[in-house]
């Protein structure tokens, strides 16, 4: 089974570029999006053979997630049933007989770490939510998690230690997540690979110079370890400041 995650940084914009070409070429069982930046009724997607699930932010042109899947779920949950975290369209959970699939757009701590305190609250609530699900069945979640976990996950780690996405606090939360029985699937297969990123700033020719960050992930509960077959980062696919990431798993 193939799962794709892509922060499209505005779905309407990427639809005018190459979205449908990428979508059709990758032919995923699950195609998960973050930062759709639209409201209900602002786009019509003709995706034969796929069920569509959307979570919109209350704020227009902001955040938002979607999942397109060939497999009809037995239940769908939007958000984590916490008012403090559920107004920005950041989470969709699909439930199946033996597992959950989740798309997540983790809040950015922002310039000068203005939102770091809220980010820490989100991390605690989200981990509790994941663990609640994991107690019932296997969990697969993906998305723009807005953190580069290790020094090898970004080009310029020394100069970014006080910047959003690479603070000690954010990295510690990701470490804690893994310690709770989850696997960063790309690092599971490629523990020491460097220079492979999923996001590049639009400034300073960052993509051309590959001055990037790996902040887009597929994470699974560790009971799925033996079912993992590969993880990919599609660095050559453009259209957004992020590229798609992939998980291949035998379910």
């Amino acid at each position: 089974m193939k799962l794709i995650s892509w922060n499209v940084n505005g779905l309407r914009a990427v639809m005018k570029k190459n979205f449908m070409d990428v979508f059709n070429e990758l032919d995923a069982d699950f195609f998960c999006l973050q930062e759709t930046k639209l409201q209900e009724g602002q786009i019509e997607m003709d995706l034969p053979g796929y069920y569509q699930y959307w979570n919109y932010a209350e704020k227009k042109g902001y955040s938002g997630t979607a999942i397109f899947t060939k497999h009809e779920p037995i239940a769908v949950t939007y958000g984590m049933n916490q008012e403090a975290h559920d107004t920005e369209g950041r989470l969709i959970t699909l439930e199946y007989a033996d597992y959950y699939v989740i798309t997540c757009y983790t809040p950015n701590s922002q310039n000068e770490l203005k939102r770091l305190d809220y980010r820490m609250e989100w991390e605690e609530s989200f981990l509790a939510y994941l663990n609640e699900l994991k107690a019932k069945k296997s969990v697969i979640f993906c998305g723009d998690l807005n953190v580069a976990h290790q020094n090898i996950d970004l080009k310029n780690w020394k100069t970014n230690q006080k910047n959003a996405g690479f603070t000690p606090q954010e990295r510690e939360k990701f470490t804690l997540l893994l310690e709770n029985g989850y696997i960063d699937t790309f690092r599971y297969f490629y523990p020491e690979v460097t220079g492979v990123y999923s996001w590049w700033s639009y400034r300073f020719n960052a993509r051309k110079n590959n001055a990037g960050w790996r902040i887009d992930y597929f994470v699974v509960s560790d009971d799925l370890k033996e079912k993992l077959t590969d993880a990919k980062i599609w660095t050559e696919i453009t259209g957004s400041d992020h590229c798609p990431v992939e998980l291949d798993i035998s379910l």
Side-chain angles (χ1 to χ4, degrees):
M1 191 174 292
K2 180 194 287 191
L3 298 91
I4 295 289
S5 176
W6 194 10
N7 178 324
V8 289
N9 191 14
L11 181 56
R12 286 172 293 177
V14 81
M15 281 292 287
K16 294 173 184 173
K17 298 174 184 175
N18 59 342
F19 180 82
M20 289 310 305
D21 291 339
V22 172
F23 182 83
N24 291 327
E25 190 174 324
L26 291 176
D27 189 29
D29 292 271
F30 293 87
F31 205 111
C32 303
L33 304 183
Q34 304 86 42
E35 221 174 345
T36 52
K37 291 185 174 179
L38 46 78
Q39 308 302 121
E40 187 171 8
Q42 288 189 311
I43 198 168
E44 288 294 328
M45 303 284 287
D46 182 24
L47 305 174
Y50 284 85
Y51 300 91
Q52 301 184 27
Y53 303 97
W54 301 81
N55 194 3
Y56 308 100
E58 289 180 4
K59 181 180 176 182
K60 290 185 177 178
Y62 178 73
S63 190
T65 48
I67 303 181
F68 311 137
T69 176
K70 296 177 180 179
H71 310 278
E72 186 174 13
I74 55 179
V76 184
T77 304
Y78 300 97
M80 52 178 120
N81 199 28
Q82 293 192 34
E83 193 172 336
H85 301 308
D86 290 351
T87 64
E88 297 183 348
R90 294 184 177 275
L91 214 57
I92 303 172
T93 304
L94 306 187
E95 181 180 358
Y96 295 88
D98 301 314
Y99 57 91
Y100 297 93
V101 174
I102 303 166
T103 185
C104 175
Y105 178 39
T106 300
N108 190 304
S109 296
Q110 298 184 349
N111 291 338
E112 299 177 354
L113 305 179
K114 283 184 295 196
R115 225 179 176 201
L116 182 60
D117 289 345
Y118 172 68
R119 166 69 176 266
M120 293 298 101
E121 293 170 15
W122 166 278
E123 294 282 1
E124 289 168 18
S125 297
F126 185 50
L127 180 56
Y129 176 72
L130 290 174
N131 284 341
E132 201 175 292
L133 298 182
K134 184 161 69 82
K136 302 172 191 171
K137 56 185 84 170
S138 303
V139 171
I140 301 166
F141 78 91
C142 65
D144 175 359
L145 304 187
N146 264 315
V147 62
H149 184 221
Q150 304 175 51
N151 294 350
I152 58 173
D153 290 321
L154 71 169
K155 177 75 173 283
N156 299 309
W157 67 269
K158 287 183 179 177
T159 56
N160 277 295
Q161 294 176 80
K162 295 182 180 179
N163 289 336
F166 198 61
T167 61
Q169 298 96 314
E170 292 163 310
R171 296 170 69 195
E172 284 165 11
K173 290 296 187 187
F174 196 85
T175 297
L176 180 63
L177 168 75
L178 301 182
E179 289 172 349
N180 268 257
Y182 298 90
I183 297 167
D184 172 354
T185 58
F186 183 78
R187 285 288 167 229
Y188 174 76
F189 287 106
Y190 309 105
E192 296 177 8
V193 164
T194 60
V196 180
Y197 309 119
S198 66
W199 173 77
W200 304 261
S201 170
Y202 280 132
R203 298 182 295 170
F204 313 122
N205 290 318
R207 192 155 191 170
K208 182 181 174 185
N209 298 323
N210 198 30
W213 300 49
R214 188 179 72 94
I215 59 175
D216 300 87
Y217 295 81
F218 270 98
V219 177
V220 301
S221 51
D222 54 13
D223 60 321
L224 292 174
K225 182 187 289 188
E226 303 305 319
K227 297 179 189 271
L228 298 173
T229 55
D230 199 8
K232 300 185 180 82
I233 298 180
W234 289 94
T235 55
E236 70 275 21
I237 294 178
T238 59
S240 168
D241 52 347
H242 296 250
C243 73
V245 297
E246 176 176 331
L247 173 66
D248 301 320
I249 187 167
S250 299
L251 289 174

